[in-house]
Amino acid sequence: MNLWEHTAAFRTEPSSVMLGKFDGIHRGHQGLLRCMEEDGLPYRKGLLTFDFSVAAAGFSDAEQLFVGKEREQIAGAYGFDWMVRLPFTDAVRTMPPEAFFEEYLLKRCQARAIYVGEDYRFGYRRQGDAKLLAGLCETRGVRFRAIPEIRYGEEKISSSRLRAKLAAGDLSETRAMLGYPYFVTGTVVHGKKIGRTIEFPTANLSWGNGKLLPPIGVYDTYSLVEGIGYFGITNVGNNPTVRGEGKNALTVETHLLDFSKEIYGERMTTFFLEKTREQQAFPGLDALRTQLAHDKERLYRVRGRYDLADVERFA
């Protein structure tokens, strides 16, 4: 998949284009993708979104579900050929909707079809809407489809609702709205290596800035390393059993089952399946080892119940 980011100077092949913020691709976005696939047009499939890390004053990309390369990873998993993360500069923010349509959709994306949600807004002060975009597309011979909001329960599926569910630790509803388990992708880095001393080595992840993590606690997880999946026990926390000077930094550490390779510097994706217990401070490393042995034995016993069908596209 081709990715353009940190630049407004891009040009794609003739394409069918989905528009939106795409903090992840949740089931609402997947409805648009189904429309694109139903139409079966002979064009490249692309996503046009914004990069708020290069943002106009008053805008930010803090506390997002998915950041940086994770968004590229999701777009590739869902079969897109390209993604543009357009820097949200003042020049872009203040562009009238008609100019944005001409410059970015027609000229740079070479859009032959455009797909949006019915509530999509664009252009300076959000002056453009789906109705305006439909008229612009009709004038220029571009196929256009807008779909109604997709709901889960009684409410619309949205990134803000997903963030609230994740912050509350509701992994089940987060997964139901995303269409896949929530995950963190990062680089495996060196940690304190305490786990090695008690026969529970862990892969310590370095994740992207602005990433929203699940609440502190211990989780059953499934991690992809070099395209191969492994169940694991993941701690999101600050290692209260082993205190340094001051407060320990927040870490995401995973003990992978049946795994013994050195993977420092490798990328790893960890899917959160279920929270199993709260983080706790143990009286010493022996007590911690005993608890981890119980966690590991339990995971061996229950791992067969986890449905991973929605993870397979990421492998």
Side-chain angles (χ1 to χ4, degrees):
M1 192 192 77
N2 293 325
L3 172 68
W4 286 274
E5 58 182 352
H6 313 309
T7 179
F10 66 92
R11 186 176 176 85
T12 77
E13 298 176 44
S15 297
S16 296
V17 183
M18 279 175 54
L19 305 176
K21 186 176 180 183
F22 301 118
D23 182 9
I25 296 178
H26 56 58
R27 283 181 49 216
H29 303 130
Q30 291 160 33
L32 285 173
L33 178 59
R34 284 192 295 274
C35 290
M36 186 181 285
E37 292 171 340
E38 288 167 3
D39 287 348
L41 300 177
Y43 307 118
R44 308 288 277 177
K45 292 190 297 185
L47 288 171
L48 176 62
T49 185
F50 293 101
D51 178 5
F52 289 95
S53 67
V54 185
F59 294 85
S60 71
D61 202 20
E63 293 295 297
Q64 297 297 297
L65 294 167
F66 299 102
V67 296
K69 296 297 182 182
E70 291 177 336
R71 298 185 185 186
E72 179 186 2
Q73 182 180 6
I74 298 168
Y78 277 89
F80 286 94
D81 298 301
W82 58 259
M83 180 169 69
V84 171
R85 298 185 65 229
L86 186 63
F88 196 66
T89 60
D90 279 321
V92 170
R93 181 182 65 83
T94 59
M95 185 174 285
E98 296 84 358
F100 183 86
F101 175 79
E102 292 289 336
E103 176 65 21
Y104 289 108
L105 295 176
L106 292 189
K107 178 181 175 182
R108 298 194 179 276
C109 292
Q110 297 198 71
R112 301 295 189 265
I114 293 174
Y115 300 81
V116 299
E118 281 187 344
D119 59 353
Y120 181 71
R121 305 300 292 256
F122 69 110
Y124 184 48
R125 293 182 176 173
R126 296 167 54 85
Q127 294 170 344
D129 58 13
K131 182 178 180 180
L132 175 63
L133 188 53
L136 293 171
C137 286
E138 183 178 9
T139 300
R140 299 302 296 270
V142 176
R143 180 170 177 76
F144 175 78
R145 290 186 70 175
I147 68 168
E149 63 185 32
I150 292 179
R151 291 175 168 257
Y152 176 74
E154 298 299 317
E155 299 179 49
K156 171 187 173 182
I157 297 174
S158 66
S159 295
S160 58
R161 186 180 176 196
L162 277 160
R163 286 193 290 271
K165 289 294 183 182
L166 181 67
D170 195 335
L171 291 180
S172 178
E173 296 223 331
T174 300
R175 182 175 185 171
M177 290 189 285
L178 279 175
Y180 48 89
Y182 191 70
F183 69 82
V184 176
T185 293
T187 302
V188 179
V189 298
H190 292 276
K192 295 181 179 179
K193 298 184 173 62
I194 300 299
R196 290 177 179 272
T197 69
I198 57 173
E199 301 175 347
F200 281 90
T202 59
N204 189 359
L205 275 187
S206 173
W207 62 92
N209 292 335
K211 172 77 175 180
L212 182 62
L213 294 176
I216 286 175
V218 179
Y219 297 83
D220 284 349
T221 55
Y222 189 78
S223 295
L224 295 176
V225 183
E226 298 176 337
I228 300 175
Y230 302 89
F231 283 98
I233 302 160
T234 298
N235 184 75
V236 178
N238 51 17
N239 300 306
T241 302
V242 184
R243 290 288 186 187
E245 292 185 7
K247 186 177 181 180
N248 291 343
L250 188 68
T251 61
V252 177
E253 297 181 80
T254 301
H255 174 70
L256 300 169
L257 301 190
D258 305 316
F259 188 86
S260 60
K261 294 176 63 177
E262 292 282 357
I263 53 172
Y264 294 117
E266 298 292 332
R267 290 187 68 76
M268 185 170 90
T269 298
T270 296
F271 295 87
F272 289 82
L273 304 176
E274 183 180 8
K275 187 174 182 179
T276 57
R277 62 180 175 86
E278 297 295 333
Q279 174 182 261
Q280 62 189 105
F282 293 92
L285 293 180
D286 286 342
L288 175 58
R289 181 194 296 114
T290 298
Q291 178 61 59
L292 291 175
H294 286 312
D295 293 338
K296 186 173 182 177
E297 187 277 331
R298 183 199 51 77
L299 180 53
Y300 271 123
R301 189 174 65 252
V302 306
R303 61 182 174 173
R305 78 184 189 193
Y306 288 120
D307 182 1
L308 300 174
D310 51 7
V311 173
E312 292 176 356
R313 69 173 63 245
F314 291 88

